[in-house]
Amino acid sequence: MHRVNIIAEYGNRTEKDIEITVGSLLLVQQDSGSISTIALQPYLITTSNYVKKITASYGSNIAYALLIKNREDVFITVASDHTDPDAERCNVISGKHTYPKVIARRAWSLENIEDHWDLVELRNMAIINDEKKIAQQFTGRELPQPSIVLEMIEDTVEEPRNMVIVVERRIMPEEYVVSNYYEISMIDNSSKRSIEHYYWVD
């Protein structure tokens, strides 16, 4: 079984090492108010700082990830839907399976961020034309609410556990951010804290 290890931060700023045996990986996309779900192979989730370039076409879309160990232990972190946009033009599922989905090694307990989720920011910084710049920036209100995503999953899974759910806004293939270096971050302005993760593509 594929496993991911994270450092989880709780509301009182205490930290705990968490290992999740990933039995299921889902990609949730929001498009014009509707929400769709794609099942992916569990091994495609990674906390690596390196993604191997295997196709000429690739790109990133900023997202967040829900990490569900069990009903009581649900965590949230920043994510990147790294994919092959050209392959997606032919077959979305095939394109999504070309590259791993990158998540940070740190996460927050979901219950400590749900009440102000709309104020959370997600940023995707990338080196473009030799300059590091903000390529994508969203607030929580522009993405599906974590509670709505969980309710949707609980409608089909009696007791969610050992799951990772990557949640994003669906974009067109030409809108993916193309770079060989990314810095993704989730910023909680109300608590003055953030989660950052970087990765290279080579």
Side-chain angles (χ1 to χ4, degrees):
M1 297 286 285
H2 185 62
R3 294 175 172 83
V4 293
N5 293 276
I6 59 168
I7 300 172
E9 180 184 305
Y10 294 82
N12 55 5
R13 299 298 175 99
T14 59
E15 296 181 349
K16 184 178 179 180
D17 293 332
I18 301 290
E19 181 179 84
I20 297 177
T21 301
V22 186
S24 177
L25 172 61
L26 298 177
L27 179 67
V28 172
Q29 296 182 307
Q30 178 175 272
D31 182 13
S32 301
S34 64
I35 297 177
S36 60
T37 303
I38 300 174
L40 301 176
Q41 293 289 345
Y43 64 80
L44 285 171
I45 199 72
T46 183
T47 58
S48 177
N49 297 110
Y50 172 79
V51 171
K52 183 175 178 59
K53 179 182 175 181
I54 59 173
T55 59
S57 168
Y58 67 89
S60 164
N61 187 27
I62 192 70
Y64 72 85
L66 294 171
L67 299 97
I68 306 172
K69 188 170 179 66
N70 52 51
R71 190 179 295 275
E72 290 73 35
D73 292 322
V74 182
F75 307 97
I76 189 167
T77 192
V78 67
S80 169
D81 173 18
H82 202 82
T83 190
D84 182 338
D86 282 355
E88 284 195 25
R89 295 177 195 271
C90 300
N91 186 290
V92 172
I93 294 178
S94 295
K96 294 300 184 189
H97 276 87
T98 307
Y99 286 101
K101 312 309 161 193
V102 182
I103 63 172
R105 295 187 184 94
R106 298 183 63 85
W108 295 324
S109 174
L110 179 60
E111 66 180 7
N112 298 122
I113 200 169
E114 276 187 299
D115 63 349
H116 55 280
W117 169 249
D118 285 356
L119 303 177
V120 171
E121 293 181 39
L122 296 172
R123 290 180 189 167
N124 190 355
M125 296 191 71
I127 294 178
I128 301 173
N129 297 325
D130 297 322
E131 180 183 353
K132 188 164 71 173
K133 60 179 68 176
I134 298 176
Q136 292 177 304
Q137 184 170 7
F138 298 126
T139 60
R141 66 170 58 92
E142 297 175 88
L143 291 161
Q145 289 272 355
S147 59
I148 293 175
V149 174
L150 289 175
E151 287 175 8
M152 181 180 67
I153 298 304
E154 288 174 349
D155 285 342
T156 57
V157 180
E158 184 175 345
E159 189 172 350
R161 62 172 60 244
N162 299 325
M163 298 179 67
V164 177
I165 306 170
V166 177
V167 185
E168 67 178 354
R169 289 178 61 181
R170 186 177 182 184
I171 60 176
M172 301 300 293
E174 62 271 15
E175 295 179 291
Y176 282 94
V177 179
V178 181
S179 177
N180 65 351
Y181 177 78
Y182 301 92
E183 289 181 5
I184 55 176
S185 59
M186 177 180 286
I187 304 160
D188 179 1
N189 291 304
S190 66
S191 300
K192 294 181 170 52
R193 59 179 180 167
S194 63
I195 294 172
E196 296 91 18
H197 187 81
Y198 72 88
Y199 70 97
W200 295 89
V201 181
D202 189 15

